[in-house]
Amino acid sequence: MGQLLQAFQQVDERKKNENALVVFPDLKQLPPEISLSVLSHLNATDLCLAACVWEDLASDEILWQSQCRQCWGYTCAYKCSNEAGFSYRKLYMLLDEGTLTFNADPEMGLEYLLLHKLIENEPKDIAMFLHSTKKINWRNKRDYLRNRPEVLDNLVKLQNFENQFLPNALRGFFREISAPSDRGTYLHQLVEKFSERFVICNPRLGLTKDTVFVVCFSLILLSVDLCSPQVKNKMSKREFIRNTRHAAQDLDEDLAGHLYDNIYLIGHVAPQV
């Protein structure tokens, strides 16, 4: 009987503990390194809200430096971080406003970034900013690059395709520089720039720029063929090998087969096309 009463008491204690109010600890009472570690898991919006309660902790420069570099891998403003009066929190607000403006109107966004000295008026600097920024709208970025070939050239040079399989490298290229929806001159220019860069990054493959160019278009056409539900009669592996080797005679048959398998298993190399 005593054991039964003891068991009921334990159950009652558990219920009391479950119903007890869980109080979030006051971060000011914790060691600073632990408090900052907790706040480091917040995004910028939540960090601003946390500053209403723990202003000193949530305004720490280390936290805002991390927020900046997570979203913007490069800005020339980072060079001024040791100057008096520099604030990563203020920098975040400027970069966020500049990015939002760019996503509404690329030209106005660039004007804002230049006005606040967040980028330099050089194609290479603009390319580095676009390359390392996660919040840029891909459609606006694509349209801007279409009108700024000198920035596009520098952005292509930032891509590293060393030791990458060709279809995977092409997918990565079109993730960075979105393919146009049409198959006109601009798509040809993009594939030509990719082909040149891929050959530079992989000299040991022995492929020419022209061969890579032809193979890339073969992969794009194969992607449309295999991934489009409107195409009923899909291209076979044998047909792809025959057609591709006919256009690029120095392409190895086994390599052509592996190219087909990659598209068949992984999917489109340029979904926008």
Side-chain angles (χ1 to χ4, degrees):
M1 187 67 178
Q3 292 179 345
L4 184 60
L5 288 173
Q6 187 177 5
F8 277 121
Q9 288 176 350
Q10 290 176 351
V11 171
D12 190 50
E13 287 295 325
R14 281 198 213 101
K15 288 184 178 180
K16 287 181 180 179
N17 293 333
E18 290 173 359
N19 295 329
L21 180 64
V22 178
V23 180
F24 191 82
D26 186 354
L27 296 182
K28 291 181 180 179
Q29 307 301 321
L30 300 176
E33 59 272 17
I34 295 178
S35 300
L36 292 177
S37 178
V38 172
L39 294 175
S40 68
H41 294 281
L42 302 181
N43 58 33
T45 302
D46 292 336
L47 202 54
C48 288
L49 293 174
C52 298
V53 181
W54 305 290
E55 182 175 359
D56 292 339
L57 287 171
S59 300
D60 191 275
E61 282 291 276
I62 295 176
L63 294 175
W64 286 101
Q65 179 182 5
S66 176
Q67 292 286 342
C68 285
R69 293 190 179 273
Q70 283 177 12
C71 298
W72 299 275
Y74 171 82
T75 167
C76 63
Y78 290 150
K79 301 174 185 176
C80 307
S81 59
N82 292 327
E83 295 182 2
F86 180 88
S87 168
Y88 273 106
R89 183 175 182 177
K90 292 179 181 178
L91 177 61
Y92 183 97
M93 302 305 172
L94 290 173
L95 287 168
D96 191 51
E97 183 66 26
T99 303
L100 289 173
T101 306
F102 183 94
N103 290 340
D105 185 316
E107 292 301 329
M108 289 183 62
L110 262 294
E111 287 181 13
Y112 182 95
L113 294 168
L114 290 168
L115 178 65
H116 292 87
K117 299 180 179 180
L118 301 174
I119 58 172
E120 297 176 4
N121 195 15
E122 296 290 338
K124 183 178 180 180
D125 207 72
I126 298 173
M128 291 175 65
F129 178 82
L130 294 177
H131 175 63
S132 64
T133 300
K134 298 179 179 179
K135 292 188 171 186
I136 292 291
N137 178 275
W138 65 269
R139 288 188 179 87
N140 284 15
K141 181 179 177 180
R142 179 187 63 189
D143 295 342
Y144 175 79
L145 291 173
R146 191 169 192 161
N147 298 320
R148 292 291 301 272
E150 70 281 7
V151 177
L152 174 61
D153 288 340
N154 280 275
L155 189 57
V156 172
K157 291 177 183 177
L158 293 173
Q159 312 304 307
N160 182 12
F161 303 121
E162 185 178 2
N163 296 326
Q164 292 188 31
F165 193 35
L166 180 57
N168 297 334
L170 190 57
R171 284 190 191 90
F173 178 77
F174 283 129
R175 277 195 297 268
E176 175 72 31
I177 305 168
S178 301
S181 54
D182 60 276
R183 301 181 198 174
T185 305
Y186 184 53
L187 179 60
H188 282 252
Q189 292 175 354
L190 289 179
V191 175
E192 186 175 3
K193 292 178 187 297
F194 167 81
S195 302
E196 184 177 2
R197 183 62 183 166
F198 184 84
V199 169
I200 291 174
C201 292
N202 297 280
R204 295 181 180 179
L205 293 179
L207 297 174
T208 65
K209 172 186 170 183
D210 292 339
T211 297
V212 174
F213 181 85
V214 170
V215 172
C216 284
F217 267 101
S218 295
L219 291 173
I220 291 173
L221 294 175
L222 177 64
S223 296
V224 174
D225 187 276
L226 294 183
C227 301
S228 175
Q230 284 78 28
V231 179
K232 302 302 180 183
N233 298 319
K234 306 295 185 183
M235 184 184 300
S236 69
K237 187 174 183 178
R238 181 177 296 179
E239 290 173 327
F240 174 78
I241 293 173
R242 184 185 66 243
N243 296 341
T244 305
R245 292 200 70 207
H246 179 74
Q249 297 180 2
D250 56 340
L251 187 70
D252 182 79
E253 183 174 343
D254 289 338
L255 175 57
H258 292 318
L259 293 172
Y260 182 95
D261 293 339
N262 182 279
I263 305 302
Y264 183 84
L265 295 172
I266 299 179
H268 213 308
V269 291
Q272 290 83 22
V273 177

